[in-house]
Amino acid sequence: MKVHNPLPESLAISCDKAESILEHFIKGNNQLDNSLIPKNVLARARGIAIITIVKAGFLWSGRGGTGLVLSRLEDGSWSAPSAIMAAGVGIGAQIGAQITDVVFILNNSEAVKAFCRGNVTLGGNVSVAAGPTGRSTEAAGSVVNPAPIYSYSKSKGLFVGMTLEGTLILTRQKANRELYGRDISAQEILSGRVPCPAEADGLYRMLNLKFSTLGTFKKDSIDDELIQSSITTLNASRDSEVIQNNYSLKSSSENAGTRKRNPPPPPKPLKLAAKPKQAVAMFDFDGQRAGDLSFKEGDVIWVSEKQGEWYHGTLNGRKGIFPGNYVSLDQISSLN
């Protein structure tokens, strides 16, 4: 388990940390990871909060941490992130320290409104329950009457587990002001009235990948001439093949009437570059970042390169990248 920083930091850094944390909870460490958040739980979430909490104690204990919260808007997209912090105390004979990554799934609008108010007491003005986990839950389907908030956690340290009851979640106004350039409330951010910042692009990509075969592709650049160069090379090779065939036909015709010395063989055709391929979209893909290639179910996409579990391709003159698990691999066919 990667150890994340629970101390106050910029909201931009919190976005990167949240992406890393969420990846562990969505992908899991292995096929039997019991902390895995089921796909159907995340799919129906009305919001999500991701936070790292540190707990330390000697006779009494204290806990605190930082993170962010987002809400799902009416159109299914995600709001801009709002920075949050956690604080709480405990009593009893406790000695040790622990760092815990926590993901809160907000299951209804009331849970989202609680975070919009700027302060939430877990187990107080909103109830929290341990969320269903594992791939077996995915197969079981929806959970009837879910708690307002599900919690998922992974810990590293000496304490056995962490009680979140009584933890106070507050909005970090200063962190929000630094990213958005003005004083802004959590309600304004979570209502969708604030443009999504580029600093959260990686987090949005993780949230919007719906399938378990999530990639870890990091896009540095896209070569817009890649597909065109492949097609140009392909056409040049075909032209060479046509010249070769015509030359062979002419030589055969001449040799039929005379017994002249056989001509030298024609040059070898140009080496063929990797051929673009076609793929058929199985689902709609709504790109969230510059360079993503959006498409609709049934669209036929030209695929030029595979990088991890993402593909480079073009559709109707638009070039970009898209997740490979949104297209049918069985229906990919080479150009003839």
Side-chain angles (χ1 to χ4, degrees):
M1 171 185 168
K2 181 179 179 181
V3 178
H4 296 99
N5 181 20
L7 302 179
E9 53 196 356
S10 70
L11 183 51
I13 295 177
S14 291
C15 288
D16 292 336
K17 179 178 73 174
E19 177 189 1
S20 175
I21 293 172
L22 187 60
E23 181 178 12
H24 284 85
F25 282 93
I26 293 179
K27 293 178 64 176
N29 297 323
N30 54 63
Q31 295 292 320
L32 300 178
D33 192 339
N34 288 327
S35 63
L36 188 73
I37 299 178
K39 291 182 294 186
N40 55 354
V41 170
L42 186 59
R44 65 167 181 267
R46 300 295 299 274
I48 187 169
I50 305 170
I51 190 167
T52 299
I53 299 175
V54 60
K55 176 181 178 181
F58 182 81
L59 300 182
W60 64 274
S61 67
R63 56 186 177 271
T66 59
L68 53 79
V69 60
L70 306 92
S71 70
R72 177 168 272 152
L73 306 178
E74 292 295 330
D75 62 359
S77 63
W78 293 93
S79 73
S82 176
I84 57 176
M85 62 180 293
V89 297
I91 58 174
Q94 304 180 75
I95 300 175
Q98 179 187 66
I99 293 180
T100 303
D101 292 330
V102 184
V103 175
F104 295 110
I105 300 295
L106 314 184
N107 289 316
N108 56 35
S109 58
E110 293 302 317
V112 175
K113 290 178 182 178
F115 278 85
C116 287
R117 289 192 290 268
N119 64 82
V120 182
T121 301
L122 302 179
N125 54 351
V126 62
S127 62
V128 181
T133 60
R135 301 183 186 276
S136 59
T137 303
E138 295 178 6
S142 300
V143 177
V144 179
N145 298 323
I149 298 179
Y150 281 154
S151 68
Y152 297 85
S153 63
K154 289 185 178 182
S155 300
K156 188 175 185 65
L158 299 180
F159 285 118
V160 178
M162 175 183 289
T163 300
L164 297 171
E165 292 289 328
T167 299
L168 180 63
I169 307 293
L170 301 170
T171 298
R172 295 178 60 213
Q173 300 286 2
K174 181 179 179 181
N176 285 340
R177 182 169 60 251
E178 289 176 349
L179 182 64
Y180 298 112
R182 62 184 177 88
D183 289 326
I184 187 170
S185 67
Q187 182 175 6
E188 184 177 355
I189 296 172
L190 299 180
S191 65
R193 298 198 296 270
V194 178
C196 296
E199 289 82 354
D201 281 353
L203 178 58
Y204 292 131
R205 184 185 298 280
M206 188 61 60
L207 285 167
N208 287 314
L209 288 178
K210 304 174 184 178
F211 300 99
S212 59
T213 54
L214 294 174
T216 56
F217 170 71
K218 297 291 185 182
K219 180 177 71 64
D220 295 323
S221 63
I222 299 177
D223 185 359
D224 289 336
E225 298 180 357
L226 177 63
I227 297 173
Q228 185 60 43
S229 64
S230 296
I231 295 175
T232 301
T233 306
L234 177 62
N235 290 336
S237 176
R238 286 174 173 170
D239 291 343
S240 176
E241 184 177 354
V242 170
I243 293 172
Q244 178 185 355
N245 291 339
N246 290 340
Y247 187 90
S248 299
L249 289 173
K250 182 179 179 181
S251 299
S252 299
S253 176
E254 290 176 350
N255 290 337
T258 64
R259 290 295 180 181
K260 293 182 180 180
R261 182 169 56 91
N262 291 332
K268 294 182 179 180
L270 295 175
K271 185 178 180 181
L272 188 62
K275 296 181 180 180
K277 299 179 179 180
Q278 287 181 301
V280 178
M282 298 186 297
F283 309 93
D284 293 349
F285 175 62
D286 184 14
Q288 298 294 316
R289 300 180 63 178
D292 285 350
L293 180 64
S294 301
F295 49 74
K296 299 294 184 181
E297 180 181 356
D299 283 348
V300 177
I301 306 155
W302 292 102
V303 181
S304 62
E305 182 182 357
K306 181 174 186 278
Q307 193 161 8
E309 294 186 9
W310 288 77
Y311 291 94
H312 292 255
T314 184
L315 173 64
N316 297 329
R318 295 181 294 108
K319 301 179 178 68
I321 61 172
F322 58 93
N325 53 9
Y326 275 56
V327 300
S328 173
L329 298 179
D330 295 337
Q331 297 188 46
I332 291 181
S333 58
S334 299
L335 280 173
N336 295 318

